[in-house]
Structures are given as C-alpha cells and as structure tokens.
Amino acid sequence: MAKGIYERKGLNGDVTYYIRYQVDGTDIKERVGRKSRGFTRELAKDALKSRLGDVAQGYFNLEKVRKPVPFSKLAERYKEFAAGYKRGWQEEKYIVEEFATLFGDTPLAQTTTWQIEKWKAEQGRTLNLATVNRRLTVIKHMFKKAVEWDLTKANPATAVKRFTITSERTRFLSGGEIQRLLQESEKQVTSPWLLPLVTLALNTGMRQGELLAMKWENVSFERAVISIVQSKTLRPKSIAINQPTMDALNWLKENRYGDHLFMWPWGDKIGKVTFYDAFKKVCKAAEIEDFRFHDLRHTFASHLVMAGVDLVTVKELLGHRTINMTNRYTHLAQEHKALAVAKLSERFETQASEARAKESLVSDELKEAINAVSPLNLEQNRNIFLVRRGRGLGISNDIKWKFGGGERIRTAASRFCRPLP
C-alpha cells in the first residue's frame, strides 16, 4: 500500500482499487472501484484526498460510508454468543426473535431511540412493567455488543429509561391457603410428584428451575442438607432439611426413577409445561387466585420474617447477593412488631379491668370507713377547728391520735408533712 492506496487482483485478473485512512484512531478501508470499469490509481488518489478533507473539516460520517449492517445480522450473531454465555438463554431467545421480527433488515445505524421508545410504550400498555423492563434490558445488551463488535458506532437504546416500578410483587400464602394448596396437591393422582414439589418449595425457598433440575447427588440425608448451585447467580447454597422436607424427600426416594428427583416412571424429567399445567389446576381447585409458583419462594421468606427471623438470615437462606433484595419483606417485620406492641396495650387494659373488678368487691361499709379517715375529711375537720378557734372558742390546735395503746400528739399542720408512726 502506498500513500493510503492499494489494489487487489481478483481471480479473473481484474484489479480493484481501495483507500485506507484513520478517523479517531480507527482504521477505515473503502472500495473505490474496478479497473475494468474505468477506475484508475489517480481517481483513487482523488477519492483519498476528498475523504481526508472531510475528516479534517468534520464532515465525515462513518455510518454513511460503511456497508449497512441489518438488525437481523446482529440478532444471528447475538444468538451464537448468548447460547453459550447467558444462563437464562432458553427464555431469552424468544425475546431476541421478537426483536428480529420487529426490526428485520433495518440497518443498525438507522435504528433510532424513538423507535425503541415507541416499542416500550406499546408493550407497557399490555404487559407487566417488570416484564417490559426485562425485555428492554435484552435489546440494550444487544446494541452494547454491536458496538463492541464494531457493527455500529452508537447504542440507540442507551437513552431509553426503564419503567419505574413502585412496588415489587410479594404475594404470599396465608396459613389457610397453604393447607388448602397441600390438600389439593395430595389429590392429584396423575401428578403424584406435585405434593413433594410444593412442599420442598415452601420449606426451602428454592426456585422452580432449581427444584426441577435437582439431582440426588445434591441431597445429603446424613447431614440433613441440600447443596445446590443457584440457577440465577451461579453461587453455591446449602439448605437445611426440616421435617416436612425430609418427608417429601423420603417419598421421592421410595419412588425414584433416575438421577433427578422429579422424573416420570419411564425416565423422563418433569417438563416445565406439564408442571405449569398441574400447578395451575391445583391452585384453581384450592381457590387460590393471582398466584404463581415463584410466589412460594415469597411465602417461604414472608413467614420466616413474620416468625421473627432477622433479614440477614433470610437473605442467606434465599441466596440473595445483597440485602436490598431482601428488604422487600421489611414491612412484614414492622407489621408484626406493631402487633407485639398492641399486645402490650391489651395487657395493660386487662390489668386495669381486673383492678376495677377487685375494687367493686369492697363493701359499702368499708368504703364509708375509709372515706371517714381520708386526707380530704381530715383537712375538712382541720378547717373547722381553725374557724372555731378564730371565733374564740379556745379549741386546741393539737389533735390527739392513739396508736396501739400509746398516745402521741401531732399538730394538725404537720400530719401531712411527716409520716405517722
């Protein structure tokens, strides 16, 4: 290559001229044309001068000179990348297909922020906002990789903000709903594995995917511990086995059909679709509305908090990375603290009622005797003595009190200041 111009000879002997230059440290190659079509080295020199002039004056636009890359090409390349990299690819691949259909062969350089904003608004009218946010995360990551792979220079999804979600879903079962769910699960003759599956979810807080993928090698009956690698975070976690969990595991062990806990007698794993249909059916029979299997994990955490377990321990049991994820259950702890304080006021009220009841048992004669020597009556008597003395009746201000056969004199003015012996 001389002076940024080079030529390449094809199989048929025809020569094609190219120019090469740099923009902001990036090497750029452009095809000028073939010699058989009238292009010469001199024309290639002119083309190079023109490009360098545009760059110097700030008129150069890389996206206009490079070959357009359609969104469909990004989708295909992203599939190859994510299939061996992303843990949730089995669910995410359908989202990528949706975007591939939406944008088709639209060049990446022509995909605008407004198009993505419009898509987000349309999705927000029909889908849960958290679901839209998860899909938006996918397209943001797709364009991020496109920039890294030099398929485009800008990420139009960067400026698109996620929906603000004011409250996260924390639907959990009450004690009565738990009993109804277990009773109806036990009745499912065609899905006998459903009862132990629900029992494990309620008592371990494990995710659906973790339960369905769990193998017998993850269970230690001797140490009473289940050891797994979490499907979402890929972090190891150990779960203590309580009695209901042990009962469920023993039933599964007696009806073992392979390496996994949840399998059909013919050796196939329980599929997600089969499981979803069975769980939906049992919820309907138990008259439990607006409930998903993942909410059993919320039920596990919620009842721990309501039982007085601290949030740090709940965080470890759930396998959360940070305490912020566990803080959604804080309000349950506050509610139960309020109930505890309310019980204290109830106790005070009960004690006051008992005192009033005892007071009502005092006889009228005893009340009259008590009132006769009460401080109020004594003060009234003192006032009478003082008035009479002032009239010259000469009544002594000293009042005699008898105590146990002895006699002591106390002035009326001092009897409230010092205790009587």
Side-chain angles (χ1 to χ4, degrees):
M1 185 180 71
K3 296 181 181 180
I5 300 170
Y6 69 99
E7 59 187 49
R8 181 178 294 170
K9 184 178 290 187
L11 296 177
N12 59 357
D14 197 2
V15 175
T16 303
Y17 294 99
Y18 295 85
I19 61 175
R20 177 183 292 174
Y21 51 95
Q22 280 194 340
V23 177
D24 297 329
T26 302
D27 284 329
I28 300 172
K29 294 181 291 184
E30 269 193 85
R31 180 177 178 273
V32 177
R34 295 179 182 177
K35 188 174 183 179
S36 61
R37 296 188 178 182
F39 288 92
T40 63
R41 178 174 289 274
E42 294 300 320
L43 290 176
K45 289 182 180 179
D46 292 339
L48 179 59
K49 290 180 182 179
S50 177
R51 282 288 180 249
L52 293 177
D54 290 341
V55 172
Q57 297 178 54
Y59 298 145
F60 179 79
N61 188 332
L62 177 60
E63 298 300 335
K64 291 183 178 180
V65 302
R66 73 190 307 172
K67 184 178 180 180
V69 179
F71 188 91
S72 56
K73 181 177 180 180
L74 170 61
E76 290 301 321
R77 187 165 179 178
Y78 189 81
K79 289 177 185 177
E80 296 176 4
F81 159 77
Y85 163 76
K86 304 198 77 175
R87 298 188 297 273
W89 173 244
Q90 292 303 317
E91 290 76 21
E92 194 173 289
K93 63 181 179 181
Y94 301 107
I95 302 175
V96 176
E97 289 290 350
E98 180 183 334
F99 285 127
T101 302
L102 177 65
F103 294 107
D105 291 331
T106 302
L108 295 177
Q110 297 179 20
T111 306
T112 64
T113 300
W114 165 243
Q115 288 177 300
I116 301 175
E117 287 280 13
K118 183 180 178 182
W119 166 85
K120 185 188 82 169
E122 292 173 350
Q123 295 283 299
R125 296 189 189 99
T126 57
L127 298 178
N128 183 279
L129 297 185
T131 301
V132 180
N133 284 347
R134 285 193 291 271
R135 296 186 177 189
L136 184 58
T137 299
V138 173
I139 195 169
K140 280 176 175 286
H141 192 246
M142 290 179 71
F143 273 105
K144 179 182 177 182
K145 301 306 295 184
V147 173
E148 292 178 6
W149 296 331
D150 199 29
L151 300 179
T152 186
K153 286 298 178 183
N155 183 348
T158 300
V160 182
K161 304 298 182 183
R162 294 175 175 84
F163 283 114
T164 300
I165 301 176
T166 56
S167 61
E168 296 181 274
R169 178 186 175 93
T170 53
R171 169 76 164 96
F172 63 91
L173 297 178
S174 64
E177 288 177 321
I178 292 175
Q179 295 305 315
R180 295 204 307 271
L181 181 65
L182 293 175
Q183 290 170 1
E184 292 298 332
S185 297
E186 190 175 10
K187 297 177 183 178
Q188 301 304 309
V189 180
T190 57
S191 305
W193 40 264
L194 187 59
L195 177 60
L197 183 60
V198 171
T199 301
L200 287 177
L202 282 170
N203 289 275
T204 65
M206 294 173 64
R207 298 178 177 89
Q208 172 189 326
E210 295 167 349
L211 287 167
L212 294 179
M214 188 164 59
K215 295 183 177 181
W216 285 107
E217 64 188 38
N218 301 122
V219 181
S220 173
F221 286 96
E222 295 77 12
R223 296 188 298 119
V225 169
I226 297 174
S227 301
I228 63 169
V229 175
Q230 298 180 81
S231 59
K232 189 173 181 179
T233 63
L234 295 183
R235 296 172 61 196
K237 183 174 74 168
S238 296
I239 307 161
I241 299 176
N242 61 9
Q243 191 56 51
T245 303
M246 183 64 75
D247 294 340
L249 290 174
N250 285 331
W251 185 93
L252 290 169
K253 189 176 182 181
E254 293 173 0
N255 298 272
R256 178 174 175 174
Y257 303 112
D259 295 335
H260 291 81
L261 271 68
F262 297 98
M263 302 185 70
W264 292 109
W266 49 88
D268 291 342
K269 290 175 57 180
I270 305 297
K272 290 185 177 181
V273 176
T274 302
F275 158 75
Y276 174 82
D277 292 339
F279 187 73
K280 183 178 179 181
K281 178 182 177 182
V282 79
C283 285
K284 183 177 180 180
E287 299 181 351
I288 298 175
E289 300 179 353
D290 185 31
F291 194 78
R292 306 170 305 187
F293 187 83
H294 190 75
D295 293 329
L296 292 176
R297 182 172 165 85
H298 295 321
T299 302
F300 168 79
S302 299
H303 282 271
L304 283 176
V305 173
M306 290 187 292
V309 180
D310 61 276
L311 289 179
V312 175
T313 302
V314 175
K315 166 186 170 293
E316 295 300 322
L317 291 172
L318 290 174
H320 286 163
R321 284 185 179 273
T322 64
I323 194 66
N324 292 335
M325 302 177 69
T326 320
N327 281 338
R328 66 167 65 181
Y329 305 104
T330 304
H331 70 284
L332 297 174
Q334 297 299 330
E335 289 176 5
H336 276 66
K337 288 178 182 178
L339 290 176
V341 176
K343 290 181 180 178
L344 180 62
S345 65
E346 292 175 5
R347 176 176 173 81
F348 289 158
E349 181 61 29
T350 301
Q351 291 177 339
S353 299
E354 292 175 353
R356 287 193 295 269
K358 290 181 179 179
E359 184 180 353
S360 64
L361 297 177
V362 179
S363 64
D364 293 337
E365 293 79 2
L366 182 56
K367 286 183 180 179
E368 185 177 351
I370 294 174
N371 291 332
V373 295
S374 67
L376 178 60
N377 289 338
L378 290 174
E379 182 65 21
Q380 291 175 347
N381 291 337
R382 174 181 179 276
N383 293 337
I384 293 172
F385 296 154
L386 292 175
V387 171
R388 290 182 177 178
R389 185 180 183 187
R391 292 178 180 176
L393 298 180
I395 299 177
S396 173
N397 195 36
D398 293 336
I399 305 174
K400 294 182 179 181
W401 295 82
K402 292 183 179 181
F403 296 94
E407 181 175 304
R408 297 182 184 178
I409 305 291
R410 299 294 183 191
T411 62
S414 65
R415 66 177 180 273
F416 296 115
C417 297
R418 290 186 295 173
L420 295 175

